[in-house]
Amino acid sequence: MFARGISILTGSAVDPGNIPVPRPSDLLTDRCNQAALRALQAEAEFMPPSARMQEPERFAHIQRARREQLEAFLWVEPNSAALERMIDLIGLILEEGCWAEYGGFDDPAHPTIDLQAAETGVLLAWMLRRHRAALREVAPNLMSAMIGEVRRRLLAPILAHDDYPFLQGRGSCPALILSDLLLSCLLMEGSPSRRQQPVKSLLHLLDRINATSPDSNRPIQDRLADACALADLTRLLKRLTRGELDLTREAPMANRLDDVLIPWIANEYFVDPAGSGIQTACVQRHRARALHGVPARRPGRALHPAEAQARRQRGRPRHGLPDGRHLRRTDGRRPTRKRRRRHAVLQQPARPGRHGRRGAQPARNRRH
């Protein structure tokens, strides 16, 4: 499917300017402005290389904070102070020994590539797409440094090595990583000769992953991220080629629709690109609903299949009770107390009282 676009995406007609510039909607403008203000006021943290090796978790937190702060400037028009802060953040990211999470120091000939490294590359690519003119005016050589690091850390290694897990469809979010690498190449490489080999290889890999069914043992949020990444990629490719490469009706394929529909029906997993990303909660509850047909229960509580079976057993008539003393429901759930009492009264035969009919008052208590 994606391989049909090799000749189009490697030609000279591809212009990154066809992709729309990221802009927030009216509802998110205030939110984005506040995020950019917080990023402007935050202090830049720095750790020496020896401390990074001794405290990898702390340095991983610093890495995530840098990327979140840089992403906040993607949605606003920067002033001089914000532009200086962007240059500082980009410089700190370029100087990191490894873009991967808990990576330490990269092997120059075989750098580590994971989801964080791929997201870093595509973040730098979108920053060039959004603020190319402003960055070129203030720091002319910064753009070349960004492109050079993406080539060295991401694009060249996938052509020289085939032992990365995402190249075989394994690991965390392989389709998302490949989509990030392809977008990084298309947005940053202006020369058709330079992007020809990476684009060709990535499109074939995307076809291979898209045709195989996702591993059911992977977390559902990872499978949802892959399905959404493939769908978003087709729309961006359509805009990039001005409709010449339209794969929007073919992705995601049928083998990935469950990864999108189950979280959507459950209404607990959704993608918010301008906010906190993919919301994750109650994975086991979604699995129980999908595999065992368990109805929805209280939010935040997973219903085990054994408990569901026990509840269905409690909803059946018990032996030894007279007919009409227990209400049987067809949906397998036990009725509420009020409903059970009301139906029990309606199903039991009426018993005459002492005064001739049920509930009749004695003559001495009646009002005349």
Side-chain angles (χ1 to χ4, degrees):
M1 180 181 73
F2 286 99
R4 298 204 306 263
I6 292 178
S7 60
I8 303 173
L9 296 177
T10 56
S12 58
V14 173
D15 182 12
N18 295 335
I19 297 181
V21 174
R23 298 186 186 279
S25 62
D26 295 338
L27 297 176
L28 297 176
T29 301
D30 293 339
R31 179 178 175 181
C32 293
N33 291 335
Q34 293 174 4
L37 182 61
R38 289 193 299 269
L40 183 62
Q41 296 173 350
E43 295 183 1
E45 297 187 56
F46 176 79
M47 288 184 66
S50 58
R52 299 176 189 178
M53 300 176 62
Q54 296 173 2
E55 301 178 79
E57 294 185 356
R58 181 188 168 196
F59 183 64
H61 175 74
I62 293 175
Q63 284 183 308
R64 288 191 292 269
R66 290 173 179 174
R67 286 148 178 81
E68 291 174 0
Q69 294 169 14
L70 183 60
E71 187 179 1
F73 295 114
L74 184 63
W75 304 94
V76 298
E77 291 291 342
N79 53 20
S80 58
L83 196 58
E84 292 177 359
R85 178 63 173 164
M86 286 169 50
I87 295 174
D88 293 340
L89 291 171
I90 292 174
L92 291 174
I93 292 174
L94 296 182
E95 293 173 357
E96 291 177 356
C98 180
W99 283 355
E101 192 172 17
Y102 309 113
F105 288 94
D106 265 337
D107 180 1
H110 194 179
T112 306
I113 301 177
D114 63 355
L115 181 59
Q116 178 171 291
E119 291 281 290
T120 302
V122 78
L123 174 61
L124 296 177
W126 279 115
M127 294 301 295
L128 279 184
R129 173 68 186 95
R130 181 71 168 85
H131 305 297
R132 181 185 295 267
L135 291 175
R136 181 183 297 170
E137 182 179 355
V138 178
N141 296 327
L142 180 62
M143 187 169 58
S144 300
M146 295 166 66
I147 298 175
E149 288 298 313
V150 170
R151 289 174 185 165
R152 183 180 68 86
R153 297 175 187 256
L154 301 177
L155 300 180
I158 63 173
L159 299 177
H161 306 281
D162 58 355
D163 56 349
Y164 291 106
F166 62 88
L167 297 179
Q168 285 81 33
R170 296 183 287 107
S172 176
C173 305
L176 177 57
I177 294 176
L178 292 175
S179 301
D180 288 341
L181 297 180
L182 180 62
L183 285 176
S184 301
C185 182
L186 293 174
L187 289 173
M188 303 185 83
E189 294 289 4
S191 172
S193 60
R194 280 191 173 274
R195 67 169 177 264
Q196 181 176 7
Q197 195 61 30
V199 167
K200 182 178 179 180
S201 176
L202 289 169
L203 290 178
H204 283 300
L205 290 171
L206 283 169
D207 275 339
R208 186 190 308 170
I209 290 179
N210 193 32
T212 58
S213 298
D215 186 4
S216 59
N217 294 325
R218 288 171 48 205
I220 194 169
Q221 61 264 29
D222 288 359
R223 289 180 281 152
L224 174 63
D226 278 349
C228 294
L230 293 173
D232 292 341
L233 178 63
T234 57
R235 282 154 178 79
L236 290 174
L237 294 179
K238 181 180 178 181
R239 296 294 295 269
L240 180 64
T241 59
R242 295 185 181 273
E244 190 174 356
L245 180 62
D246 187 2
L247 304 174
T248 54
R249 295 183 178 273
E250 303 180 39
M253 298 182 68
N255 56 1
R256 296 183 180 272
L257 289 180
D258 287 343
D259 301 334
V260 178
L261 291 177
I262 292 175
W264 184 78
I265 293 173
N267 196 25
E268 291 197 8
Y269 284 102
F270 59 94
V271 178
D272 182 13
S276 53
I278 298 177
Q279 302 295 324
T280 59
C282 303
V283 177
Q284 295 297 331
R285 182 149 62 97
H286 294 305
R287 236 172 240 176
R289 292 182 191 175
L291 299 179
H292 303 282
V294 180
R297 297 290 175 181
R298 297 190 301 270
R301 179 170 181 256
L303 186 61
H304 194 273
E307 184 181 355
Q309 179 66 19
R311 292 195 179 190
R312 286 194 291 269
Q313 292 292 341
R314 288 199 299 267
R316 297 174 182 173
R318 291 174 290 180
H319 299 288
L321 293 179
D323 294 340
R325 295 293 302 278
H326 189 86
L327 177 65
R328 179 174 182 176
R329 294 182 57 169
T330 58
D331 58 1
R333 293 192 302 171
R334 193 175 182 183
T336 59
R337 181 176 298 177
K338 181 183 293 185
R339 185 182 296 275
R340 187 166 61 252
R341 286 180 178 177
R342 181 168 60 86
H343 282 268
V345 170
L346 293 178
Q347 292 181 9
Q348 290 179 359
R351 293 180 298 177
R354 290 186 304 166
H355 303 282
R357 68 176 184 272
R358 186 184 180 108
Q361 296 181 355
R364 61 178 178 274
N365 292 336
R366 292 179 184 174
R367 293 184 180 180
H368 299 283

